[in-house]
Amino acid sequence: MKRICIIGISGKLGQYMARHALDQGLEVRGVCRPESLHKLADLAHRITVFPGRTDDREVVAQAVEGCDGVLTVLAPMGVQDYSSGTARAVLDLAPPEARLAFSCGLHIRHSEKDRISWKLRAFVAVFGFVAKLARFADISDQVRATDAIFASDRDWTVVRAPDLEEGPSEGLPLWAPHAGDPLLKAGVVRRTDFGLFMLHALSDPDLIRVAPVIVSRVRAAQIGGDHSLLAA
């Protein structure tokens, strides 16, 4: 892997992914809204940025050209199908052999084996209703986006993360294939390590067409238990 593109590079997660990729010697491209370009000031001389909405197909096509991997932040912004539009643009326009990784929250269900807590379901229902009423975000559109990804025959990975926190890296997170696995009860991961796992997903064949749920390696060890079902 030599060149990657980060769709949504100006956010916190996008910036972490960019730094990890640069540390690994990769060429980094990215897409971000023009009004967010200032967030990338300290990285500007090391990356190539394509200003535009992440669901702008013309911009995405230019940005992903020649890329070996594409990392996409599925942000449910507004009420105009922003997440699903972004996902479709990447699925349609990324080079055929490119590995694709998408980020989302723990509320996304991939299979019947996923167990989403009633507290999370209630929070998503209430927040989703209020956010959509205020035209701030559309949580259901993130579900439509991941449904499109799951139905795709591309080499994708959808990384689901629990609560995020800031702080120095604790190492590559552990993961399980289904939400609700008791080994994930630590329920937190560092945002920088979320970015690290997203990048890792581009080169791990075991993660192709898988929707891993990640958790802090350190917290899992503190809680204890059999981690044999989790990735090393």
Side-chain angles (χ1 to χ4, degrees):
M1 190 144 317
K2 297 180 179 180
R3 175 190 290 175
I4 68 163
C5 182
I6 301 173
I7 310 295
I9 194 172
S10 63
K12 289 182 178 180
L13 178 59
Q15 291 183 54
Y16 278 126
M17 291 191 291
R19 294 181 189 282
H20 289 313
L22 290 169
D23 287 345
Q24 294 182 24
L26 301 178
E27 177 186 343
V28 177
R29 293 181 167 198
V31 175
C32 79
R33 295 178 299 161
E35 58 268 33
S36 298
L37 283 172
H38 67 279
K39 298 179 182 180
L40 299 170
D42 61 335
L43 291 172
H45 63 293
R46 304 176 65 193
I47 63 177
T48 302
V49 180
F50 296 78
R53 287 171 55 97
T54 63
D55 62 348
D56 186 320
R57 296 177 68 86
E58 183 176 346
V59 173
V60 171
Q62 295 176 24
V64 301
E65 184 177 0
C67 288
D68 305 301
V70 181
L71 301 168
T72 303
V73 180
L74 290 176
M77 296 170 52
V79 291
Q80 297 178 329
D81 299 337
Y82 196 66
S83 285
S84 58
T86 297
R88 285 193 297 269
V90 172
L91 291 170
D92 293 345
L93 302 170
E97 301 304 319
R99 283 282 284 114
L100 312 177
F102 301 82
S103 71
C104 68
L106 198 54
H107 64 289
I108 295 298
R109 188 187 298 273
H110 181 223
S111 77
E112 294 181 355
K113 294 183 179 181
D114 285 317
R115 299 188 300 277
I116 311 299
S117 71
W118 68 266
K119 289 183 178 180
L120 179 57
R121 293 198 304 269
F123 172 80
V124 169
V126 173
F127 175 79
F129 174 77
V130 173
K132 191 170 184 178
L133 189 65
R135 305 185 68 79
F136 169 71
D138 184 359
I139 301 299
S140 62
D141 185 49
Q142 197 175 70
V143 176
R144 292 192 293 274
T146 52
D147 283 347
I149 297 165
F150 296 151
S152 171
D153 61 0
R154 299 293 305 255
D155 287 346
W156 55 261
T157 304
V158 173
V159 184
R160 298 178 286 174
D163 292 338
L164 300 177
E165 66 177 14
E166 296 296 336
S169 175
E170 296 178 328
L172 188 69
L174 300 174
W175 67 273
H178 306 298
D181 188 303
L183 298 178
L184 298 170
K185 60 186 177 181
V188 68
V189 69
R190 296 277 168 90
R191 189 173 274 105
T192 184
D193 295 332
F194 189 179
L196 189 63
F197 193 91
M198 287 282 290
L199 191 61
H200 167 77
L202 296 181
S203 59
D204 188 341
D206 291 335
L207 292 173
I208 294 177
R209 301 192 190 102
V210 177
V213 183
I214 61 175
V215 69
S216 162
R217 177 181 295 272
V218 172
R219 310 309 168 78
Q222 290 173 345
I223 290 176
D226 179 9
H227 293 167
S228 61
L229 297 180
L230 294 173

